[in-house]
Amino acid sequence: YRGLKGVLKKLNILAMVVVANVIDELLGQTGAIRTLTIYYICCNEGISVLENLSAMNIIVPDWLKKKLVQVKMDVENGSSNS
């Protein structure tokens, strides 16, 4: 069950990128929506990894946590000036 859940999550991520790319194409964009979608996904996954490392009592640099959260917030606000 866990393996299937992981595969479905990865397929969902791929579907989000495909949909974002289609939206870019329909709007005549140069990949901005797709790129922001990928940044958002990467930040979410990165934050999740850092949370898991912290749960295992592995030291994670504060600057890395702050940077990932900042990039995620920038993407949510529609800015990519990180």
Side-chain angles (χ1 to χ4, degrees):
Y1 176 73
R2 290 177 80 186
L4 178 62
K5 185 177 176 182
V7 170
L8 291 175
K9 180 179 178 181
K10 300 306 178 206
L11 288 173
N12 186 36
I13 290 171
L14 179 61
M16 287 189 295
V17 174
V18 168
V19 168
N21 191 56
V22 169
I23 291 170
D24 268 336
E25 293 291 324
L26 290 174
L27 296 177
Q29 298 292 320
T30 59
I33 296 171
R34 179 198 64 225
T35 302
L36 287 174
T37 301
I38 292 169
Y39 284 169
Y40 185 80
I41 292 167
C42 288
C43 287
N44 271 342
E45 293 298 314
I47 291 169
S48 176
V49 168
L50 293 180
E51 288 171 350
N52 291 338
L53 290 173
S54 292
M56 294 186 294
N57 294 323
I58 296 174
I59 297 171
V60 178
D62 283 336
W63 64 267
L64 184 57
K65 291 182 211 175
K66 290 176 184 175
K67 187 63 176 174
L68 278 175
V69 170
Q70 180 61 48
V71 170
K72 181 180 175 185
M73 289 181 359
D74 287 349
V75 170
E76 286 175 346
N77 294 328
S79 169
S80 60
N81 298 329
S82 300

